[in-house]
């Protein structure tokens, strides 16, 4: 570290904090990839998923989206996501209802 020079108490100061994890998201034992939610992002999977999300509400743009690792062929049944937060930390979870035009899951 370099030498620290004290500043006057009246000077403006900045503090940079890094938050590593505020919450964890699980989908059974499946691997998940965290991405930024934006128009045209892959719908559901990390591998060769040509389906993209469209019409995302502006209030959700920039939120965190978790994609299942792999392809739809590797995940041919429904599942549930679990969101874990440490005590005292509020988190809002939004569920995106992705329409399945082929009705693969009933």
């Amino acid at each position: 570290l370099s030498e620290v020079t004290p500043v006057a108490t009246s000077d403006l100061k900045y503090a940079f904090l890094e938050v590593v994890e505020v919450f964890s998201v699980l989908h059974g034992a499946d691997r998940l990839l965290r991405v930024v939610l934006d128009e045209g992002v892959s719908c559901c999977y990390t591998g060769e998923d040509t389906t993209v999300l469209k019409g995302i509400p502006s209030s959700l743009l920039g939120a965190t989206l978790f994609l299942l690792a792999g392809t739809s062929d590797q995940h041919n049944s429904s599942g549930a996501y679990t969101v874990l937060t440490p005590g005292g930390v509020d988190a809002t979870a939004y569920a995106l209802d992705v329409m399945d035009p082929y009705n693969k899951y009933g």
Side-chain angles (χ1 to χ4, degrees), residues 52-77:
V52 296
L53 296 176
K54 298 177 185 174
I56 299 169
S58 60
S59 60
L60 294 182
L61 292 174
T64 301
L65 173 67
F66 291 88
L67 301 175
L68 286 167
T71 64
S72 60
D73 293 335
Q74 294 169 310
H75 303 280
N76 57 5
S77 63

Side-chain angles (χ1 to χ4, degrees), residues 33-45:
L33 175 70
R34 180 192 325 225
V35 298
V36 175
L37 183 58
D38 202 358
E39 283 289 324
V41 74
S42 178
C43 167
C44 309
Y45 308 100

Side-chain angles (χ1 to χ4, degrees), residues 21-22 28 33 37 55 61 63 78 89 91:
E21 288 290 336
V22 174
L33 175 70
L37 183 58
L61 292 174
S78 61
V89 175

Side-chain angles (χ1 to χ4, degrees), residues 3 27 30 41 53:
E3 187 175 318
H27 188 271
D30 296 323
V41 74
L53 296 176

Side-chain angles (χ1 to χ4, degrees), residues 6 17 28 44 78 92 98:
L17 305 174
C44 309
S78 61
T92 302
V98 178

